[in-house]
Amino acid sequence: MRNKRIILRRESLGNDMGDNVGIVVPILTDCDRDEDFTDGIEDLGNTIPILPLRNTVLFPGVIIPVIVGRTKSMRLLNDAVKRKKLIGVVCQKEVNVEDPHLEDLYSVGVVADVVKMLGMPDGTTTVIIQGKKRFELNELIDTDTYLKGRIKMLEDEMPKKNDREFEALLSTIKELTIKMLASVSELPRDLLFSIKNNKNVLYVINFACSNIPVSASEKQDLLLIGNLRERAFRLLFILNREYQLIELKNSIQMKTHEDINQQQKEYFLQQQIKTIQEELGGNINELEIRELRNKANKKKWSPTVNETFEKELRKLERLHPQSPDFSIQTQYVQTIVSLPWNEYSKDNFNLNHAQRILDRDHYGLDKVKERIIEHLAVLKLKDDMKSPIICLYGPPGVGKTSLGKSIAEALNRKYVRVSLGGLHDEAEIRGHRRTYIGALCGRVIQNIMKAGTSNPVFILDEIDKVTNDFKGDPASALLEVLDPEQNNAFHDNYLDIDYDLSKVMFIATANNLNTISQPLLDRMELIEVSGYIMEEKVQIAAKHLIPKQLEIHGLPAGSVKFKKKALQEMVSSYTRESGVRELDKKIAKLMRKLARKLASDEPVPSEITPEHLHEYLGAVEYTRDKYQGNEYAGVIIGLAWTAVGGEILFIESSLSRGKGSKLTLTGNLGDVMKESAMLALEYVHSHASVFGIAEDMFENWNVHIHVPEGAIPKDGPSAGITMVTALVSLFTQRKVRGGIAMTGEITLRGKVLPVGGIKEKILAAKRAGIKELILCRENRKDINEIKPEYLKGLVFHYVEDIREVINQALLEEKVTNPLF
């Protein structure tokens, strides 16, 4: 055998004697790639001496030391050294078996050469053996001298040369083996060099198999694999698993060590603090308490609040800084001293200034502006007036929330806002009691603290979206906040001291009043913020939206101008809403197109015309219904109010022969609208003689009423007179007067009742080219509130009875092709 330099490493492993003893595990450093460990195997017969080992598995090419203690094993080794014979090494399944038989040994072992025998000072013998080749143990022969066995040699299947995948696999195994061994103890430099530069693949893999810290049974499983590639893959899996386990153990140990160090550090600092306190003769938090007392001396609070503060501060002084209640008490005292007790900002009583601010930021909204100016005027005359509770309600996007900022600026007050959408916990309004962990005051007190004054403009946004569940009803908690007779002594559960909210100007916003409880509605002054008409949207876009979007998109101010017709086309064909949010998005989209052209050095139009809209905004998204003439009987134009403004509504009716006077209603109608249709038919039937309709018409003809755009839900009583007129026109085949529309509710007696949304309905009729409108006489007051310029070119007919409607809407002339 060639001379090989051996590097020794101390490690605790099992041995032949069964006791754990520190033994030496060597590494060969100068193995060649093709070195063969099977010297002398060819002269070996099928029967060899068998050395059973406890808890140790030998691999071909690997040299290991073994402490020998059994008598038979000593005889075997002395005979092998004397005769220079090879021996067979097999691992035992159970370490406690002293005299093993065939079933006590694994079936695969390794032929080994006894390199050296060393006598130890303690009287034991250490034998260094090197594995050569695997064999299968078929039979065990027990002699008086030592064990012998009949074997069959096993061949190792080597990988192909220049196998790049196997080379990468071998490199990974070397790296992991080094990391694994380095994590146990510090490796000598020679050992690292030996592992990295060893070119014998069989030896490298078998060495790693021999040195992984796993059980003997798992090592035996590796020895059973004859294909070296497969053995390497299995080895890599075990190495990864064991190395991750070692890293996890080291991480846990490091964290534990850091925790102990942190505790020691804290203990040392606490002892220093204690010493300082003893030397100073006082408490370390004395400075903080002195600061709180100085702040309290500047407060304008009542004697009751001052008494409560002093009591809580004395309680804080008695607490030790390490007490769990210290931080809770400190937070409570700081909350008391941080609130602006009786501190108010000075209102700006310049009414012209307030009007300019409101007009600058918002176009229209005359009722809201008028109410704010009135409030400011009263404050100017009488300084101690309680602030009103205003509720602005209307469709989304009309500027209800942003109006609060303008009001705060006009009044020179602080501005705070709370979004109530989805709020379902009463504690969000009243706060949590101090007995709870992490208790806080409610949002009202928090925002008063944030404002720094006791008279801010306080926006309660989306008050109609408040919900309730098992945690309480926030809407009921708001009753105290929004009641001018109660909120001068608002009680927050956390603060536990009455706070005056009577000077706070609360402004609530809502989209739908139906979801707000009646007691809460009763406490607020309702101001409707209706949707904008086209002319108002055009003005808002020109004065507010376009300059804002020019600045947002980096375009010079005034660099792009919009023609009025372009803005009108954008409003009517690309948006359908009551507010201006969608219009703002469309303008932003157009600005992005212009910004891209400008950044690409392409020509940008200085003025946007209706012809540019298709290029920048795409195809028209919405089309308005147009008046289509009066060639058909039974087709009447009604007026409807929707959340996105007014619309004209075609009420179509037809007759078909049949028995029983069946009424069919289509068009996605709501219950109220269906009742209006049934009411209309019954009224026409009961007054058939008045309108010249034969009685047998109702027995031999079925009626079908349809409202187009069936995908859109429709409801409400305002189409009542429209349906009656359509049915009279249908049964008499009389023509409808050209360019006329109507809206109004009917009763069974034929009375016409007023309806809402008149402003939006009139503007919708004007857009559709309708010239005449029929309304209830009581709706005249709504017409008087609309600006005269919006009513140009329209003629109004005010009625009280359905017969007046028929006389105004129908002609005596019959259609060209009557049904009968």
Side-chain angles (χ1 to χ4, degrees):
M1 185 176 71
R2 295 173 49 199
N3 293 328
K4 296 180 176 63
R5 185 161 61 91
I6 295 176
I7 299 173
L8 302 181
R9 180 171 63 88
R10 303 296 301 181
E11 180 171 290
S12 179
L13 290 174
N15 52 77
D16 179 51
M17 295 179 67
D19 49 353
N20 293 327
V21 180
I23 61 174
V24 182
V25 179
I27 295 285
L28 300 181
T29 61
D30 55 350
C31 293
D32 295 329
R33 175 180 178 87
D34 300 322
E35 182 177 354
D36 189 8
F37 302 106
T38 61
D39 295 341
I41 291 293
E42 59 275 5
D43 299 329
L44 190 66
N46 60 352
T47 302
I48 61 172
I50 299 298
L51 175 65
L53 298 181
R54 290 188 175 103
N55 205 25
T56 301
V57 179
L58 178 66
F59 285 80
V62 178
I63 296 177
I64 63 171
V66 177
I67 299 175
V68 180
R70 283 186 273 209
T71 305
K72 287 187 177 181
S73 298
M74 287 299 300
R75 292 175 187 165
L76 182 148
L77 291 170
N78 289 328
D79 187 59
V81 171
K82 183 178 180 181
R83 300 187 181 186
K84 297 183 179 180
K85 289 184 178 181
L86 299 178
I87 63 173
V89 177
V90 183
C91 181
Q92 291 183 196
K93 295 179 181 179
E94 297 292 337
V95 296
N96 298 324
V97 177
E98 187 66 28
D99 191 11
H101 297 81
L102 183 63
E103 61 270 18
D104 299 321
L105 302 176
Y106 286 105
S107 59
V108 175
V110 174
V111 175
D113 183 20
V114 179
V115 179
K116 197 171 185 179
M117 290 185 66
L118 302 171
M120 307 305 291
D122 57 358
T124 60
T125 301
T126 298
V127 182
I128 298 177
I129 56 176
Q130 180 182 23
K132 289 188 170 294
K133 194 172 185 179
R134 297 183 309 125
F135 67 85
E136 181 180 3
L137 180 62
N138 296 323
E139 185 180 0
L140 193 64
I141 304 171
D142 189 359
T143 65
D144 295 335
T145 311
Y146 47 78
L147 296 177
K148 291 184 178 181
R150 290 191 176 89
I151 63 170
K152 176 185 176 183
M153 302 305 297
L154 300 175
E155 298 292 334
D156 285 331
E157 184 179 347
M158 303 296 291
K160 298 178 180 178
K161 290 187 177 182
N162 300 324
D163 187 342
R164 303 294 294 173
E165 183 183 9
F166 185 80
E167 290 177 4
L169 178 62
L170 188 66
S171 177
T172 306
I173 289 174
K174 286 181 179 180
E175 291 176 3
L176 276 176
T177 303
I178 292 173
K179 289 181 180 179
M180 180 88 62
L181 296 175
S183 65
V184 177
S185 61
E186 186 176 354
L187 295 180
R189 196 174 288 175
D190 290 346
L191 180 61
L192 291 174
F193 182 85
S194 169
I195 297 174
K196 288 181 179 178
N197 296 280
N198 203 307
K199 298 179 180 179
N200 192 310
V201 295
L202 178 64
Y203 175 77
V204 170
I205 292 173
N206 287 342
F207 171 80
C209 292
S210 180
N211 282 275
I212 53 177
V214 295
S215 63
S217 60
E218 198 161 3
K219 289 184 180 181
Q220 185 68 31
D221 293 337
L222 288 169
L223 185 63
L224 290 173
I225 302 173
N227 188 306
L228 199 61
R229 173 189 283 271
E230 293 180 6
R231 189 187 302 170
F233 273 111
R234 178 61 185 171
L235 170 64
L236 182 60
F237 171 81
I238 297 174
L239 283 171
N240 275 315
R241 184 192 69 197
E242 295 301 317
Y243 183 69
Q244 288 175 8
L245 183 61
I246 290 174
E247 283 188 323
L248 184 59
K249 290 179 179 178
N250 291 338
S251 175
I252 294 171
Q253 186 176 2
M254 184 63 69
K255 288 179 181 178
T256 308
H257 183 66
E258 288 175 356
D259 290 341
I260 293 174
N261 288 345
Q262 183 65 23
Q263 291 175 7
Q264 292 174 343
K265 179 181 178 182
E266 289 177 358
Y267 175 77
F268 177 74
L269 291 175
Q270 292 297 337
Q271 292 301 314
Q272 284 186 323
I273 290 173
K274 185 177 179 181
T275 304
I276 293 172
Q277 288 178 355
E278 291 174 353
E279 290 295 329
L280 292 175
N283 200 331
I284 194 66
N285 65 335
E286 186 177 340
L287 181 62
E288 184 179 355
I289 291 175
R290 188 184 304 119
E291 183 181 349
L292 289 171
R293 199 178 295 280
N294 291 336
K295 286 183 180 180
N297 293 333
K298 300 176 183 178
K299 290 294 176 180
K300 303 174 183 178
W301 49 33
S302 64
T304 305
V305 179
N306 186 59
E307 181 183 350
T308 304
F309 173 78
E310 288 295 333
K311 182 180 71 174
E312 297 295 335
L313 191 63
R314 287 194 297 270
K315 188 186 296 184
L316 178 63
E317 287 177 325
R318 293 193 297 269
L319 290 175
H320 191 274
Q322 300 307 312
S323 171
D325 294 333
F326 181 79
S327 60
I328 298 174
Q329 187 68 17
T330 303
Q331 181 183 355
Y332 177 65
V333 174
Q334 287 177 343
T335 300
I336 296 177
V337 82
S338 299
L339 279 169
W341 302 91
N342 298 322
E343 296 178 18
Y344 305 103
S345 59
K346 187 175 181 181
D347 290 329
N348 185 352
F349 296 118
N350 189 332
L351 303 184
N352 293 328
H353 167 75
Q355 188 70 51
R356 283 196 303 271
I357 294 295
L358 295 174
D359 290 339
R360 180 198 68 189
D361 295 340
H362 292 82
Y363 183 84
L365 305 178
D366 296 331
K367 288 185 181 180
V368 185
K369 295 176 182 177
E370 183 181 356
R371 181 66 185 85
I372 300 305
I373 298 300
E374 289 172 355
H375 172 68
L376 194 58
V378 175
L379 279 178
K380 185 175 182 179
L381 299 176
K382 191 174 185 294
D383 193 34
D384 60 348
M385 176 192 174
K386 291 182 180 179
S387 290
I389 312 295
I390 295 174
C391 179
L392 306 176
Y393 71 95
V398 295
K400 300 185 296 298
T401 303
S402 61
L403 191 63
K405 287 186 178 180
S406 301
I407 294 173
E409 185 179 351
L411 296 177
N412 194 29
R413 291 190 179 189
K414 297 291 184 179
Y415 168 82
V416 288
R417 171 184 168 272
V418 171
S419 178
L420 301 178
L423 192 72
H424 57 84
D425 190 353
E426 182 185 342
E428 293 286 341
I429 304 297
R430 292 188 182 276
H432 304 80
R433 299 192 182 278
R434 277 194 291 157
T435 53
Y436 294 106
I437 300 276
L440 290 172
C441 48
R443 291 196 186 186
V444 176
I445 296 298
Q446 284 180 26
N447 282 276
I448 294 294
M449 198 185 308
K450 185 193 302 181
T453 64
S454 293
N455 63 336
V457 174
F458 201 119
I459 304 297
L460 298 170
D461 214 3
E462 308 291 353
I463 198 170
D464 57 327
K465 309 296 190 305
V466 174
T467 60
N468 61 333
D469 62 4
F470 66 94
K471 297 181 181 178
D473 185 6
S476 299
L478 285 170
L479 294 178
E480 182 184 6
V481 177
L482 300 181
D483 191 341
E485 300 300 325
Q486 298 181 43
N487 63 9
N488 60 346
F490 173 69
H491 186 84
D492 185 276
N493 290 330
Y494 178 80
L495 189 63
D496 206 22
I497 308 173
D498 290 342
Y499 194 88
D500 184 9
L501 298 177
S502 61
K503 300 295 191 295
V504 179
M505 187 171 188
F506 287 102
I507 300 178
T509 69
N511 300 128
N512 184 9
L513 297 181
N514 296 330
T515 58
I516 304 176
S517 64
Q518 191 59 40
L520 194 56
L521 274 177
D522 188 56
R523 284 162 169 79
M524 298 186 292
E525 182 180 345
L526 302 178
I527 299 178
E528 182 181 6
V529 185
S530 59
Y532 298 112
I533 61 176
M534 178 184 289
E535 287 76 4
E536 291 174 332
K537 290 182 180 180
V538 170
Q539 292 294 331
I540 292 170
K543 294 181 179 180
H544 301 281
L545 303 183
I546 293 175
K548 181 186 75 172
Q549 293 297 339
L550 282 171
E551 182 182 355
I552 290 174
H553 291 86
L555 299 173
S559 60
V560 179
K561 296 183 179 179
F562 284 73
K563 279 197 170 184
K564 186 176 181 181
K565 288 186 177 179
L567 291 175
Q568 290 174 342
E569 179 69 16
M570 191 183 298
V571 170
S572 61
S573 300
Y574 290 91
T575 65
R576 179 166 287 183
E577 57 176 347
S578 294
V580 291
R581 279 205 185 106
E582 188 66 25
L583 178 60
D584 192 32
K585 293 176 185 176
K586 295 300 179 185
I587 294 174
K589 180 179 180 180
L590 191 145
M591 293 297 179
R592 289 195 297 271
K593 304 287 186 184
L594 296 178
R596 178 178 176 179
K597 283 193 171 186
L598 192 63
S600 303
D601 297 327
E602 298 180 17
V604 176
S606 59
E607 190 174 47
I608 302 298
T609 63
E611 289 74 22
H612 290 107
L613 296 183
H614 186 275
E615 177 186 353
Y616 295 125
L617 299 181
V620 172
E621 298 180 19
Y622 304 103
T623 56
R624 297 284 181 181
D625 290 327
K626 302 293 183 181
Y627 175 64
Q628 300 175 355
N630 62 343
E631 289 78 14
Y632 299 96
V635 179
I636 307 293
I637 299 176
L639 299 174
W641 178 91
T642 67
V644 295
E647 294 288 344
I648 66 171
L649 207 63
F650 288 93
I651 306 294
E652 301 177 349
S653 57
S654 66
L655 291 174
S656 60
R657 290 189 178 274
K659 294 292 184 180
S661 185
K662 179 182 176 184
L663 175 63
T664 303
L665 302 173
T666 55
N668 203 351
L669 309 182
D671 292 338
V672 177
M673 203 165 183
K674 289 179 181 178
E675 290 175 357
S676 296
M678 291 186 285
L679 182 62
L681 181 59
E682 288 300 324
Y683 177 81
V684 173
H685 193 173
S686 61
H687 295 77
S689 59
V690 176
F691 301 117
I693 303 172
E695 284 293 335
D696 60 344
M697 288 286 295
F698 298 96
E699 297 297 329
N700 300 320
W701 295 83
N702 294 329
V703 181
H704 186 167
I705 297 178
H706 175 68
V707 183
E709 297 188 30
I712 302 174
K714 310 168 190 72
D715 204 2
S718 61
I721 65 171
T722 314
M723 290 182 175
V724 173
T725 308
L727 291 175
V728 173
S729 172
L730 181 66
F731 281 111
T732 61
Q733 293 293 292
R734 292 166 62 182
K735 266 193 173 184
V736 181
R737 187 186 299 276
I740 196 167
M742 60 191 71
T743 181
E745 184 180 356
I746 61 164
T747 68
L748 198 57
R749 296 175 295 157
K751 297 296 180 182
V752 180
L753 302 180
V755 292
I758 295 298
K759 178 183 175 182
E760 288 81 5
K761 292 177 180 179
I762 288 174
L763 295 171
K766 192 175 181 180
R767 286 194 299 267
I770 292 171
K771 305 298 183 184
E772 298 182 50
L773 297 175
I774 299 177
L775 303 173
C776 175
R777 195 175 304 276
E778 294 183 30
N779 283 124
R780 185 191 292 270
K781 63 181 186 301
D782 301 303
I783 301 298
N784 296 333
E785 293 183 1
I786 301 175
K787 293 181 180 180
E789 56 265 28
Y790 298 152
L791 304 177
K792 287 182 180 179
L794 295 177
V795 177
F796 297 95
H797 302 285
Y798 300 105
V799 298
E800 292 182 344
D801 190 88
I802 191 63
R803 298 180 189 181
E804 298 178 50
V805 178
I806 301 299
N807 294 334
Q808 291 287 347
L810 300 184
L811 303 173
E812 294 298 331
E813 178 188 357
K814 298 206 173 185
V815 295
T816 307
N817 298 310
L819 291 176
F820 34 82

